[in-house]
Amino acid sequence: MEVENVGVSSIEVDKILEPQFDLKDLLIYDSNELTGKSNEYLKDLARDNAQLLINQIFKRAGLETEIVNDSVVTELPEKKYDDVFVQPREKPIPKKSAQTKWEAFATLKGINAKKKKSRMVWCEITNSWKPRWGYMRAEKASQLNKNGESKDWIRVIKPHEDPNVDPWEKEKTEKKERVAKNEHARLKNVARQKGMNNAKRQQDKNELRDSFRKAKFSTASLGNFDEAVAGEKKEKNGGKKKYNALFSKDADNESKQILDLMSAKNPKFNKNAAADKVLNFEKKKAAGKVQKRNSHLKADGKSRKGKPTGNKVANRRQR
Amino acid sequence: MVASKTAVESGVVRAKNARQKRKLLNEAPKVFENAKSTIFIKGGNVSDIITNVFTDLHRLKSPHSLVFKKKNIVRPFEDASSLEFFSKKTDSSLIGFGSHNKKRPHNFVIARTFDHQILDMVELGIGNYVALKYEFTRSFILPFFSPSAEIAMGTKPMLSFAGDAWENVLELKDGSKIDFKRIRSLFVDFFRGDTIDNVRRTGLELLMQFTLQEGVISMRTYKVIMKKSGQEEPRVELESIGLNMDLTVRRTQLSNPTNFKKACKQPAGIKEKNRKNITKDGLTGEVRGTVHLPSARQNLDEIALNHKKVMKRPMPEKEIDSEDEKEFDQDVEMEEM
């Protein structure tokens, strides 16, 4: 390496406005006016800015250094999050997931996480390392004889067991049931998490209005003599439904509007309202508060009340 | 802006094996994010310049970069949905789209996404392009053993933005505004590379300068050579290595400030909390702390420093090794306080 003019001038750079640095990303923002366009000018400018940046990194920002594998390594400071340097993220911030049912139980009971089990297990019978689970697992290997044939070709039926049940089929179906049960439990955990995320949204304006209305109505005088709260609007109660005139000048337009609404590509469908309705229905059903719509009718649509329909003459005879 | 969640993301469909699970975890939102990946996509018609620029930028940004081989007829400013789809499929949040036609020759669109939805897009016209002369290699033993025309792959470049125009918002004749601060932020995002905690001093080899004058961004790339200056800070010299271009700012599609702010939101734990009362002595490297006592007035006369009972208890007998006897004889006797 050559030694340039030893002196203060070789590393010093004069700038009218102090440039801004973000050393985490090795950035220098120089807001000084540009006075040239040529490549030579740009190169000189770049050299000056690089000198300033390197000065900062080497010494002037007071950064920690250490020696790693014969080279000097500088620890960069934290990223600046102020308006000038802030950068957008790639993806949104991860949401905190709700605990699964097991996790909640474990924290309650103070059960710690299991230690990781090793993949290979020593199999005494074959005198070799076999996987703990999966293909050619230790358990199964011990069930094979020298020719690779299964030793499990015969099973003794105990006195309390049903002799007509195929034990291998039974094993298979039981395994399928266990897997399905596990999957079901996992889906329940997922649904619980989703429910948690939805519940966190703040009360809608409409919801607040509803609860206010209900509170008002629950007084003995149905809220008629209550003092009006600041900003409270007078509620429209009742009134008859207004029907459009049978014969109107605007008949064409009105029918056109109706047709437009019906044939629109994007129907006026409130997804959130519909989803909420479904969610609420599920809740109510679970709580046993949902009555079947036509509970006054039987499944075949006939009335529950009154005498049973059918052969009245025959019934009379039986009496 | 509600991103639609697929069945996989919500957990209804599960990963079938460990490899799929690892992929899902890698692509999921994280507190400390992965390095932003870039995809280079060619439009219906592409010029030589565009192809070469893509090759150079791909070399600069490897391994966090992907170049699409086939052409894709996309009009980003009309409908960027296919770009968003590619972003999602390849898990990349930076997009470089190139096209060439009479109206917009050597067109280069730089875009970034948030949650696989386009956040900012800038359309640039490439002019005065000079190809990259240097090789980017995977070797890390570089400066001593390899030829000087090489820079280690994945070197984090130093970025310099010069000119007062970067701080301004330019108003065009048709009333639209170009916010150069946002464009500068987009360029930083595109060129800065991976987030690193430490940097090897000798690894500060790459410098990219962006100067803005009259709506044209001049990009120049240099290799940094450090020479002895007799002081701790070295004398910096630069060597032109190519990858120079003059980018004319054409159209922009920048997200509104609310959406941008939303995207910039950082998770809670990321800022290191200010540790009060701890100082490090620059000279000796000692870490010193200040302890604040609960009450300023402590009467040392009244505090029980003299625990008579304890001091009068006989010390437990220690078994002394014959070899260590001499050592014990030399021990200083404890004085009673």
Side-chain angles (χ1 to χ4, degrees):
Chain A
M1 284 209 245
E2 304 161 22
V3 179
E4 284 288 305
N5 15 323
V6 180
V8 193
S9 58
S10 66
I11 59 160
E12 291 302 332
V13 174
D14 271 327
K15 292 274 185 187
I16 301 165
L17 287 169
E18 282 293 313
Q20 291 170 296
F21 300 98
D22 180 2
L23 297 179
K24 181 74 171 178
D25 276 330
L26 307 178
L27 296 181
I28 170 169
Y29 287 178
D30 176 13
S31 324
N32 291 295
E33 262 184 57
L34 300 170
T35 56
K37 277 188 184 183
S38 65
N39 281 332
E40 290 78 34
Y41 168 74
L42 292 177
K43 193 171 180 179
D44 285 336
L45 177 65
R47 193 223 73 83
D48 285 345
N49 284 341
Q51 181 73 69
L52 286 168
L53 187 56
I54 281 180
N55 285 354
Q56 284 288 313
I57 293 170
F58 272 63
K59 190 175 177 183
R60 297 181 194 186
L63 303 175
E64 304 255 339
T65 58
E66 50 177 0
I67 297 177
V68 176
N69 294 339
D70 298 333
S71 46
V72 187
V73 169
T74 314
E75 191 184 316
L76 297 174
E78 261 178 46
K79 172 77 185 165
K80 292 187 181 176
Y81 294 111
D82 53 7
D83 253 350
V84 185
F85 293 111
V86 70
Q87 290 293 328
R89 278 170 60 95
E90 189 180 34
K91 291 169 188 148
I93 301 166
K95 289 180 197 166
K96 284 185 184 174
S97 53
Q99 278 187 322
T100 59
K101 216 169 172 193
W102 164 253
E103 280 171 2
F105 180 76
T107 48
L108 196 68
K109 287 280 189 174
I111 303 167
N112 297 321
K114 290 181 271 187
K115 286 183 188 173
K116 245 193 166 180
K117 290 179 181 164
S118 62
R119 169 78 193 200
M120 302 306 259
V121 180
W122 179 251
C123 175
E124 284 292 343
I125 301 158
T126 54
N127 277 329
S128 61
W129 289 97
K130 294 252 182 263
R132 193 189 290 266
W133 68 85
Y135 182 68
M136 295 306 282
R137 56 182 172 274
E139 273 178 59
K140 271 212 164 168
S142 61
Q143 288 177 13
L144 299 175
N145 67 9
K146 279 185 227 171
N147 298 328
E149 293 156 0
S150 174
K151 288 185 203 169
D152 190 25
W153 58 274
I154 191 167
R155 290 222 187 149
V156 181
I157 300 174
K158 290 173 189 169
H160 60 269
E161 280 176 9
D162 184 3
N164 296 322
V165 166
D166 182 349
W168 294 276
E169 284 302 318
K170 190 181 169 198
E171 256 185 28
K172 277 189 187 174
T173 49
E174 277 182 354
K175 166 124 191 181
K176 278 191 182 173
E177 279 169 22
R178 271 182 280 133
V179 169
K181 186 186 165 211
N182 183 270
E183 184 64 17
H184 185 69
R186 191 186 70 85
L187 288 174
K188 274 207 273 182
N189 278 323
V190 167
R192 189 179 303 115
Q193 243 184 59
K194 267 199 153 178
M196 292 270 299
N197 283 334
N198 282 336
K200 281 184 183 174
R201 25 178 208 101
Q202 291 170 339
Q203 262 198 329
D204 220 10
K205 230 186 188 178
N206 291 328
E207 284 181 35
L208 281 171
R209 202 182 298 142
D210 262 339
S211 43
F212 179 77
R213 221 183 266 152
K214 279 184 189 170
K216 197 170 181 187
F217 196 76
S218 60
T219 53
S221 60
L222 304 177
N224 287 325
F225 302 107
D226 280 355
E227 271 179 28
V229 184
E232 187 190 324
K233 290 182 187 171
K234 201 180 177 186
E235 294 288 345
K236 285 184 188 175
N237 289 320
K240 285 185 180 177
K241 177 171 176 178
K242 246 189 173 183
Y243 289 100
N244 292 329
L246 275 175
F247 300 105
S248 63
K249 279 185 186 178
D250 244 16
D252 299 288
N253 275 335
E254 278 177 14
S255 45
K256 267 189 191 175
Q257 277 176 17
I258 294 168
L259 283 172
D260 281 336
L261 275 175
M262 283 163 58
S263 63
K265 271 188 186 177
N266 298 319
K268 279 189 185 178
F269 177 57
N270 191 343
K271 284 187 208 172
N272 285 328
D276 284 344
K277 232 182 180 178
V278 172
L279 275 173
N280 279 328
F281 184 81
E282 305 275 77
K283 275 187 203 171
K284 281 185 188 173
K285 208 175 182 183
K289 286 182 183 173
V290 174
Q291 248 198 341
K292 280 190 182 172
R293 252 196 175 169
N294 295 325
S295 56
H296 65 287
L297 301 172
K298 291 195 279 190
D300 55 357
K302 295 188 179 169
S303 172
R304 280 189 206 275
K305 294 182 183 174
K307 291 176 184 174
T309 53
N311 208 338
K312 289 186 183 174
V313 178
N315 288 341
R316 269 196 215 142
R317 278 194 194 150
Q318 279 172 7
R319 258 194 282 147
Chain B
M1 178 175 82
V2 179
S4 60
K5 294 265 176 188
T6 63
V8 183
E9 285 172 358
S10 62
V12 176
V13 172
R14 65 195 300 189
K16 284 184 192 171
N17 53 40
R19 179 164 54 82
Q20 285 184 7
K21 191 179 179 184
R22 268 179 270 129
K23 191 182 177 212
L24 283 179
L25 286 176
N26 190 41
E27 294 178 0
K30 298 177 187 173
V31 174
F32 293 105
E33 293 191 307
N34 304 333
K36 285 194 181 185
S37 212
T38 316
I39 34 174
F40 291 103
I41 303 168
K42 295 175 194 172
N45 195 16
V46 168
S47 61
D48 274 347
I49 291 176
I50 298 257
T51 322
N52 293 332
V53 167
F54 276 12
T55 324
D56 285 348
L57 289 177
H58 174 63
R59 279 152 67 192
L60 181 76
K61 291 172 132 287
S62 285
H64 304 294
S65 165
L66 195 67
V67 181
F68 277 28
K69 285 184 183 171
K70 290 192 176 172
K71 293 180 181 173
N72 288 283
I73 299 172
V74 180
R75 298 208 172 97
F77 283 81
E78 277 172 39
D79 179 22
S81 54
S82 43
L83 293 182
E84 289 175 357
F85 172 73
F86 294 140
S87 156
K88 196 160 197 177
K89 268 286 180 174
T90 56
D91 192 33
S92 315
S93 48
L94 296 170
I95 304 166
F97 177 79
S99 62
H100 177 70
N101 51 42
K102 247 192 178 173
K103 191 178 181 187
R104 289 178 237 275
H106 315 297
N107 208 32
F108 183 36
V109 178
I110 296 181
R112 67 177 158 193
T113 62
F114 176 70
D115 203 15
H116 304 297
Q117 308 268 320
I118 298 269
L119 191 67
D120 295 326
M121 264 202 301
V122 177
E123 189 177 57
L124 308 155
I126 303 175
N128 298 335
Y129 167 67
V130 177
L132 186 65
K133 293 172 205 165
Y134 265 53
E135 289 293 320
F136 279 87
T137 67
R138 288 180 196 269
S139 162
F140 285 106
I141 326 171
L142 281 188
F144 307 104
F145 302 120
S146 66
S148 57
E150 284 179 349
I151 296 178
M153 195 186 272
T155 304
K156 192 169 172 87
M158 291 183 279
L159 302 175
S160 155
F161 288 83
D164 54 341
W166 284 113
E167 302 284 325
N168 302 333
V169 176
L170 187 70
E171 268 214 51
L172 296 172
K173 291 172 195 172
D174 60 355
S176 62
K177 295 182 183 177
I178 303 179
D179 183 4
F180 282 108
K181 266 189 179 174
R182 187 74 77 78
I183 294 176
R184 179 173 62 182
S185 154
L186 176 56
F187 270 62
V188 168
D189 225 351
F190 197 81
F191 290 103
R192 65 173 163 164
D194 206 348
T195 307
I196 54 172
D197 293 323
N198 308 296
V199 68
R200 218 177 72 239
R201 280 185 176 178
T202 44
L204 295 166
E205 288 188 304
L206 196 59
L207 171 79
M208 296 179 86
Q209 175 161 268
F210 301 90
T211 48
L212 177 60
Q213 275 178 312
E214 293 161 19
V216 175
I217 301 170
S218 300
M219 173 174 139
R220 301 285 182 271
T221 318
Y222 307 98
K223 183 178 175 187
V224 174
I225 301 159
M226 291 190 256
K227 295 186 176 173
K228 284 188 182 177
S229 67
Q231 289 155 83
E232 201 181 333
E233 307 99 309
R235 163 81 184 169
V236 169
E237 294 292 338
L238 300 178
E239 189 188 324
S240 295
I241 60 166
L243 196 56
N244 301 338
M245 51 184 111
D246 292 333
L247 302 162
T248 319
V249 179
R250 286 175 181 163
R251 292 180 287 181
T252 59
Q253 187 180 298
L254 308 172
S255 65
N256 58 50
T258 359
N259 282 347
F260 187 71
K261 231 184 178 181
K262 225 184 189 181
C264 288
K265 231 183 168 186
Q266 301 293 335
I270 223 170
K271 281 190 191 172
E272 204 188 273
K273 286 181 186 165
N274 185 23
R275 289 167 73 200
K276 295 183 188 173
N277 302 323
I278 296 175
T279 50
K280 189 161 181 176
D281 189 352
L283 195 66
T284 58
E286 283 178 349
V287 177
R288 291 203 199 114
T290 318
V291 176
H292 293 272
L293 299 171
S295 100
R297 295 177 217 155
Q298 282 197 350
N299 255 323
L300 292 175
D301 303 330
E302 290 175 26
I303 292 175
L305 296 169
N306 191 355
H307 298 281
K308 286 188 177 172
K309 275 187 188 173
V310 180
M311 294 307 280
K312 280 191 176 171
R313 274 189 213 150
M315 290 286 281
E317 284 281 312
K318 264 191 182 177
E319 279 186 28
I320 305 167
D321 215 34
S322 54
E323 291 172 348
D324 296 333
E325 257 189 71
K326 280 186 187 173
E327 244 185 275
F328 275 89
D329 283 341
Q330 289 166 12
D331 267 359
V332 177
E333 267 184 63
M334 289 285 287
E335 281 180 323
E336 266 211 281
M337 289 226 281

